[in-house]
Structure formats: structure tokens, C-alpha cells
Amino acid sequence: MKAFSNKAEAFEAFDDIPTNPHLDRSLGAVVARRYGRRDVLKGLLAVTASTALFGDAALTSTRALAAASDGFTFEEIAGGVDETHHVAPGYEAKVLLRWGDPLFADAPAFDPLNQSAAAQHRQFGYNNDYIAVFPVEGRSDRLVMCVNHEYTSPEVMFRGVGEPAENDFEKITRELAEVEMAAHGVSIVEIAFENGAWTPVVTSPLNRRISAANTEIALDGPAAGTRRMVTTADPAGMRVVGTLNNCAGGATPWGTYLTAEENFHGYFWTDQKAEKEGKLERLTKGLGGAQQKSYERYGVPGAWYNWGAYAERFNVDKEPNEPNRFGWIVEIDPTDPSSTPVKRTALGRFRHEGAETVVNPDGRVVVYSGDDARFDYLYRFVSAGRYEPGDRTANLKLLSEGTLSVARFNDDGTVDWLPLTFGEGPLTPQNGFESQADVMIDARLAADLLGATAMDRPEDVQPNAATGKVYVLLTNNARRKSDQINAANPRPENSFGHIIEMAAPEGDHAAGRFAWNILIKCGDPKVAEVGALWGPETSANGWFGSPDNCTIDNEGRLWVATDQGENWAKTGKADGFYAVETDGPTRGSSKMFFRAPVGAEMCGPCFTADGETVFLAVQHPGTDGTKEYAPFARLSTFDDPATRWPDFRDGMPPRPSVVAIRKTGGGKIAG
Ligand code: FEO
Ligand code: CA
Ligand code: CA
């Protein structure tokens, strides 16, 4: 995530200002008293406690798998930053899809000076994030690729909008706002493997654009059809137009795509202003009426975009319930372009980073999801029904009903899953919950009452089906104070993030209690004050900051993508893609495989089933922290960007793009 805003004063606001008021419930005081600053000791205690609870198997089950692999066989690249991408020697990274590339035979060619909403609806969207691929029946050389388009960067998309700190909403005309809406959402596109490379098939009947502007999406689950989902356009509370801020996601075993609505609050707007220090400022607080508590906990309205000036549904003065219809996991069937995507309200409403799925040994489906904000939580959904291989119709209902739980990390190395069930514990009318719909719409408020652990920005949460391990990527939280630390968030001013490894007991992802320990504490291992923890084979190029997305390759190995945002200069390295050992004596060692161009974030890692291609999404090239990039040292604009990656053509702005990486001549990546 790196959200933008058009107003200088909103920079603070979009930088994930925590909205969780329950920060003092952390175990910080207890941990500080018992363990002081000895994080190493804490780690040892965690392992001991976990082993006592679940036996050695829970923590060592990947060792056999790791022993079968020779580690990651590629030559590491150098950290650093420049205007282009870099990949390990012997590999080629080819651009597959760029912002504006036609997705249909009748789509207009990309013309950045004359972009329109109509053209954008037929072209690849902006700021590509999560990627998943699905097989095409009967075609081993084809895949259907789904890609999220999280947000827009108007300062480099549109001429004349200007530097991000200076541009203002007046420059975002209705026409540009409509291009932005069309550039959000999801692209679905068939790709073919021809002559040793992947290429889009623009004539495929499977191709589809889903956007914020005009895609009809159904509501399903406990909140669908309830009072707080009703709007003027939808008196039944059953249909929503569009999806917003699609960050990471998931792929289900029955072949559907899950897209996660993350910073939805930023799209809501008000006409109301109040005087502040002699200036009239747009209100971002105090507008919720009966939903006041909910608005404040979710940061509604965020006013990062001015779409509400043109479209009433994004204006909370006109449609106070519309924000309740975003912040969900959306399920899309990529095999049927006429199908209606569905918002699955049983998975709760928060700033969903992703939605990674695993089939539990008993057949229930488990979906993990982080709420990406400082001091927010980690969630798990367990379906009521069981996965039936071959019965797709039944499987398509699995995410309609189940139990959502939130994580409480205990200082003894265990983590408890606390169910968000109406009528149980504090989730009652006395505390403002009238129904399960309220509990799902206000999952954050429910989790506050249950005593969940406030984390350092939970991003990807990735199960490894083969081992029962689950990796929790915590990107950073420089706002955590020393009296707010706890065993699972052990560093104050955590600028570089960490990775927690959870172990489901005997692979039971529906269990009420897991074990956990810390795999990595990120940052420079040579700087003592950073307090980093890495495996012994991590080189000066291999360590990283701000882990965000990750994936498990077909050999069960962990790969991590980073998002340092504006703060990449703190590591001196552009964002990249790293191979991380999880077992044996090299556990916690990391190697850099790919480096993104200046100002970009690394997203969407996705391996093909044969392990021979990895797709990566290079998001917002040329935007983040370009003042810190010495050869440029200023903010990027359309006419003056820090890089024109990947085209490097005069007049062509930088373009968020998906790259396909393969070994020269073929073969398994790092295998
Ligand atoms: Fe959109 Fe939390 O990354
Ligand atoms: Ca992310
Ligand atoms: Ca992932």
C-alpha cells in the first residue's frame, strides 16, 4: 500500500494514521517487566512454549522438505537504486502488461495525453498489485491472469496535475476522476506461452475489466440486505457498483479469484468544511451520525480522492451507508466473464490486505487476512461447509457462511483465535451490536472488544499448505512506543517490520490456538540499534525492510516482496523480491532476486505451477521518495518523472507493469 492524496495536509492522514484507540491493551507492560529488551530470550521462550504445547512436529515439519531442496540456486543481485529493474544473472524479466495496454481487440492504443474513461475501461489499469493465474481448460500453453489495480498516481498519470504535494482537487476534473475510477479494479486477461515468452491474448473471450466505475457486484453473507447496506440506488442493500483499492488477494482451490478492498475509506468525501487556523478545511471527522463510532474507527471519510464531488455515492453527506459497502473480500469467477462478482461479507469488513486460502484437513476452507493499518489486527475465516473437489457449484458458496476470528498473540508463544460471533462475549446490543451484520460491518470494533493484539501493520498472511505454517508479514510501525511493545511486536519505532511464523497444530488451520515465533526482524543487521534478526547467510544485499507481499513456490519455499514507501532511503535499496529460507541452519537467510526501479513498490509475486515463471507487479514506478534519489532529487510529475520505466521513451510517463521472469533457456527458478 502507498496511498496518495492530492492535498499536502492529507499526507499525514493517508500515512495510515492509526484509528485503533485500544493500544494500551497490549502485553507491552508484562513483556517489558519479564524480559526487558532481550528479544533473543523472548524468541527462545516462544519456541520452548510452542514445542511444549504442540510437540516438535509443529515447528519442525518443514525440515524434511527443506532438506530435499538445495536452497535457492541463483546469484544474488546488488541492493541499490536506479531508474530500471535488475534480475539475477541468467534470468530475463520481460514486460508482459503495462498500464494502458489494450485488453481487447477493439481497445484503443494507449495515448497518455488523450486518456479517457472509455479507453481505460478497455485497457490494463493502473498500479498493478496482486496477481493470480488459473489454468485454461485443454490448453497447457495458456493461463488466465487476474491482476488488481489498487490506486492511481495522478501526478504522473496526467499532464498538468503537478507535484503531489502541490496539486489540489481542483485540477482533478470530472473527466480525470472518471479515468481514475476506470483505472481501478481488476484486469482479467488470457496469456499464451509462445516462442519461449508469455504474451497477452487480446482476442480471448475471457478478458474482462472490473472497475470502480461500472461493474455490478452482488452482496452476500450476514451483512447483505441489511439496514446499514441500503442506499438510494440500492434500497434492497444487495448490489454495489464497483470495487475499490484492490490490494492483494488470493486464489481459491475451486478456481476463483479473491480481491481485497484495502484503503476504501480514502474514496469517501464530504462537502462540509470548517475553519481551522484561519482556513476552511474539509471535514474528515464527526460526520457519522448514528454510525459515528464506526466512521472514526475506519477513518471515513478519508477524502484522498475527490470522486464524491462528481458522484454522489462517494459523498457521505448524501449516502452515509455507501462506505459500509466497501472494505470486503470480493470473489470473481475468471472462467465466466458474464458472472457477477460477489462481496463476501462473512469475511468481515476492514482494510483487507489480502485473502490467502488453504483447505483444512477436515475439508473446511480457511482464509487469512491482515488489516493493514498501524496497530490493527490479523483475521482468519473458517468456512461452515467443506470443500468438495469437483463440485464447483457447491464450492462457490463456501465463503458465504463461516466463522471470522481475530488473533490474540500471547507472550508464551501461542496465539488464540477469538471468534467474532454476535451474542457471544461482549458482542451484544449493550455494546452497540444488534446483529451479525453489525459485527461484520464493524469487525474492527468487535475485535477491539475481544482484546485482539494490535500489530505492526499486517500485510500478507500466507499459509503453506504442505507444512501447516503461516507467514505473517508485518510491514512496519514507526509509531509503536517502547511502552507498547509486546512479544509479537517486539520493537519500538519499528521502521523495518518483521515476519512472524505461525504453526497450525498438526496442520489444523481451524484450531483455536496456534504456536508462533519470529522468523525475521528486518533492517540492517550491521546496525545494532535496529535490532535486526536474520539467518546466517544473509549478505549486505540480502537483508530488506518493510516486507509486504509474499508467496510460497511449488517447492514450498518462501519469497518476499517489499514496500518501503517514501522511506526506501532508510535502507538505501529500492524495493525488491527476495528468497527466504525458513528451515534448518540457514533459517531466516535472505537473498535478493529482483530489484524494482526507483519509486516503485514490489507486488504480486505469482509462480506458475511448473515453477519456471514468476510474475511480479511493479507498482507506481517513479513516485515514492524521489526527492531522496540523488540523481533526480525532486518530486516526479508527468512531464518530469524520476524514471520513464519501462518504455524509456520521451513523452511517455512511467507505467506500472507486470513482468514475467524466466531462466534464460528455461528451467525451474532458483531450482
Ligand atoms: Fe496495499 Fe497494504 O498494501
Ligand atoms: Ca501490499
Ligand atoms: Ca501472498
Side-chain angles (χ1 to χ4, degrees):
M1 189 289 307
K2 153 64 177 71
F4 91 98
S5 170
N6 289 355
K7 279 195 179 292
E9 68 267 29
F11 266 81
E12 260 297 287
F14 74 63
D15 192 25
D16 281 326
I17 282 215
T19 55
N20 186 347
H22 297 262
L23 303 183
D24 294 331
R25 194 183 276 121
S26 77
L27 295 161
V30 178
V31 173
R33 193 169 60 242
R34 281 204 200 158
Y35 308 134
R37 285 192 295 273
R38 295 302 304 272
D39 290 339
V40 172
L41 180 58
K42 273 182 239 159
L44 287 174
L45 286 169
V47 171
T48 310
S50 315
T51 308
L53 273 165
F54 302 123
D56 253 5
L59 284 160
T60 57
S61 54
T62 54
R63 284 193 185 135
L65 192 75
S69 132
D70 292 330
F72 296 98
T73 54
F74 65 86
E75 195 183 319
E76 181 169 64
I77 59 168
V81 58
D82 63 17
E83 291 173 32
T84 193
H85 67 267
H86 300 267
V87 68
Y91 290 82
E92 288 170 86
K94 290 193 173 156
V95 174
L96 173 66
L97 286 158
R98 301 164 296 184
W99 167 46
D101 277 348
L103 296 184
F104 304 90
D106 65 353
F110 180 55
D111 177 355
L113 287 176
N114 292 291
Q115 183 63 323
S116 68
Q120 183 64 77
H121 277 295
R122 309 294 282 167
Q123 299 166 338
F124 195 64
Y126 205 79
N127 275 345
N128 34 220
D129 200 301
Y130 191 78
I131 302 169
V133 290
F134 300 88
V136 174
E137 214 175 324
R139 294 296 301 260
S140 62
D141 59 342
R142 297 283 175 102
L143 291 170
V144 185
M145 173 175 275
C146 300
V147 185
N148 281 350
H149 300 295
E150 186 182 19
Y151 69 99
T152 42
S153 306
E155 73 277 16
V156 287
M157 287 177 79
F158 306 126
R159 171 170 275 173
V161 167
E163 295 180 346
E166 288 180 358
N167 64 20
D168 54 36
F169 287 127
E170 279 69 52
K171 289 183 182 159
I172 305 293
T173 60
R174 176 188 292 268
E175 197 181 11
L176 295 188
E178 288 175 354
V179 173
E180 288 190 314
M181 289 182 213
H184 278 67
V186 177
S187 289
I188 300 174
V189 55
E190 186 170 339
I191 57 173
F193 190 67
E194 290 169 355
N195 305 319
W198 291 100
T199 181
V201 182
V202 295
T203 53
S204 170
L206 295 174
N207 295 357
R208 183 176 188 185
R209 269 306 318 278
I210 287 164
S211 80
N214 60 10
T215 307
E216 274 265 302
I217 302 185
L219 285 159
D220 154 279
T226 62
R227 178 180 52 84
R228 292 177 63 196
M229 302 298 263
V230 166
T231 63
T232 309
D234 178 30
M238 294 299 288
R239 309 285 278 196
V240 185
V241 176
T243 179
L244 292 174
N245 209 260
N246 304 82
C247 187
T252 67
W254 51 97
T256 58
Y257 182 67
L258 303 179
T259 180
E261 297 187 318
E262 194 188 24
N263 293 295
F264 65 93
H265 61 295
Y267 298 82
F268 292 92
W269 168 268
T270 175
D271 293 325
Q272 300 180 59
K273 292 182 178 175
E275 195 176 303
K276 190 178 168 192
E277 291 164 10
K279 280 196 313 190
L280 266 187
E281 287 199 355
R282 198 166 305 282
L283 287 177
T284 54
K285 287 201 165 80
L287 296 170
Q291 300 187 98
Q292 181 62 35
K293 219 167 140 186
S294 176
Y295 268 39
E296 288 197 356
R297 187 66 178 84
Y298 285 86
V300 171
W304 298 356
Y305 290 78
N306 69 341
W307 301 355
Y310 309 114
E312 289 195 346
R313 67 196 178 98
F314 294 115
N315 184 332
V316 298
D317 308 336
K318 312 267 173 53
E319 290 294 350
N321 282 345
E322 189 75 1
N324 297 340
R325 293 144 60 87
F326 294 86
W328 303 103
I329 296 297
V330 189
E331 185 172 13
I332 300 168
D333 184 352
T335 66
D336 179 3
S338 67
S339 61
T340 303
V342 186
K343 297 201 181 192
R344 300 291 186 192
T345 70
L347 278 70
R349 174 174 168 265
F350 46 93
R351 295 187 203 166
H352 281 281
E353 169 71 20
E356 296 284 8
T357 301
V358 64
V359 178
N360 207 43
D362 64 8
R364 287 182 288 173
V365 173
V366 176
V367 185
Y368 291 96
S369 192
D371 183 344
D372 181 7
R374 291 171 178 85
F375 302 109
D376 253 294
Y377 307 135
L378 179 66
Y379 295 81
R380 176 191 77 179
F381 170 83
V382 181
S383 67
R386 288 166 209 276
Y387 173 60
E388 297 288 348
D391 189 351
R392 197 155 191 264
T393 309
N395 294 332
L396 282 167
K397 299 191 180 104
L398 281 171
L399 303 186
S400 293
E401 194 187 342
T403 304
L404 182 71
S405 301
V406 67
R408 181 181 63 211
F409 285 84
N410 305 311
D411 60 338
D412 65 355
T414 62
V415 50
D416 291 316
W417 292 104
L418 314 169
L420 276 72
T421 305
F422 172 67
E424 288 185 11
L427 306 183
T428 59
Q430 287 80 2
N431 289 315
F433 297 94
E434 300 292 338
S435 64
Q436 187 64 18
D438 281 342
V439 173
M440 292 295 101
I441 292 168
D442 288 325
R444 280 183 163 187
L445 292 170
D448 292 342
L449 290 174
L450 292 172
T453 302
M455 309 297 287
D456 287 345
R457 285 187 61 193
E459 300 254 20
D460 217 344
V461 184
Q462 184 77 47
N464 183 338
T467 64
K469 302 285 181 60
V470 184
Y471 297 93
V472 183
L473 276 62
L474 299 152
T475 203
N476 56 51
N477 181 359
R479 293 189 187 155
R480 189 176 289 276
K481 305 274 193 311
S482 52
D483 63 352
Q484 293 173 314
I485 60 165
N486 52 55
N489 300 277
R491 286 188 291 182
E493 293 167 37
N494 181 10
S495 295
F496 302 103
H498 56 291
I499 300 179
I500 287 177
E501 180 184 67
M502 302 191 293
E506 295 173 9
D508 179 8
H509 290 270
R513 174 170 283 191
F514 287 12
W516 68 268
N517 58 35
I518 288 180
L519 175 65
I520 290 171
K521 285 186 274 181
C522 306
D524 190 342
K526 292 241 160 33
V527 179
E529 308 86 76
V530 168
L533 172 70
W534 292 97
E537 293 190 358
T538 309
S539 77
N541 293 314
W543 64 267
F544 55 77
S546 300
D548 183 342
N549 296 128
C550 69
T551 194
I552 307 286
D553 71 13
N554 58 350
E555 293 194 26
R557 303 179 300 183
L558 179 66
W559 295 76
V560 170
T562 64
D563 171 19
Q564 304 167 99
E566 301 279 340
N567 292 321
W568 61 261
K570 283 189 182 176
T571 64
K573 300 175 179 196
D575 280 322
F577 188 50
Y578 297 80
V580 176
E581 301 282 1
T582 53
D583 294 279
T586 58
R587 175 179 158 89
S589 298
S590 165
K591 275 169 78 176
M592 191 177 205
F593 180 74
F594 179 90
R595 206 175 94 196
V598 61
E601 162 183 352
M602 189 85 277
C603 302
C606 173
F607 283 86
T608 51
D610 62 8
E612 296 200 4
T613 303
V614 61
F615 300 107
L616 295 177
V618 175
Q619 197 188 76
H620 59 76
T623 66
D624 268 357
T626 55
K627 272 189 164 174
E628 309 300 322
Y629 176 50
F632 188 73
R634 54 193 183 273
L635 295 171
S636 282
T637 64
F638 180 94
D639 284 314
D640 180 31
T643 178
R644 294 186 185 276
W645 187 90
D647 300 313
F648 295 105
R649 267 203 287 139
D650 283 349
M652 183 61 79
R655 299 166 81 181
S657 303
V658 170
V659 296
I661 300 173
R662 293 179 56 81
K663 202 178 255 184
T664 307
K668 281 203 174 177
I669 289 175

